[in-house]
Amino acid sequence: MREFKVKFYKKDDGTEPAKDFLDTLDAKMFAKMVRSIEIVRIEGVSAREPYSKHLDDGIFEVRAKVGSDISRVLYFFFKK
């Protein structure tokens, strides 16, 4: 199975909103999100709930849950 490369969206001002969001999470949620991102990186489009969910038209969300708290970050795949 081919592993994917994770690239975070970077705005013109140099900020990376998804990374900035991840930095706001507590340690436990951060660890779960990183684990979910790693699963998506390895499994690609085959990743499913509870780690990933297809939303619509090529847009997915990476998901993590700690207790009743849920965090989500949107992502998509592209070639070259």
Side-chain angles (χ1 to χ4, degrees), residues 26 28-30 32 64-71:
D26 65 48
K28 195 176 243 185
M29 182 64 83
F30 179 84
K32 285 220 172 183
K65 183 175 180 183
V66 175
S68 61
D69 292 334
I70 301 172
S71 292

Side-chain angles (χ1 to χ4, degrees), residues 10-61:
K10 187 180 284 189
K11 293 170 60 173
D12 290 337
D13 65 5
T15 60
E16 296 175 291
K19 278 187 178 180
D20 293 343
F21 170 72
L22 293 174
D23 288 342
T24 69
L25 301 175
D26 65 48
K28 195 176 243 185
M29 182 64 83
F30 179 84
K32 285 220 172 183
M33 283 297 290
V34 169
R35 179 173 184 260
S36 294
I37 291 167
E38 182 67 4
I39 288 169
V40 169
R41 185 186 70 77
I42 293 168
E43 296 186 15
V45 295
S46 299
R48 297 285 183 253
E49 290 188 51
Y51 311 106
S52 174
K53 182 177 180 180
H54 178 252
L55 298 178
D56 188 30
D57 198 24
I59 300 173
F60 299 80
E61 64 182 8

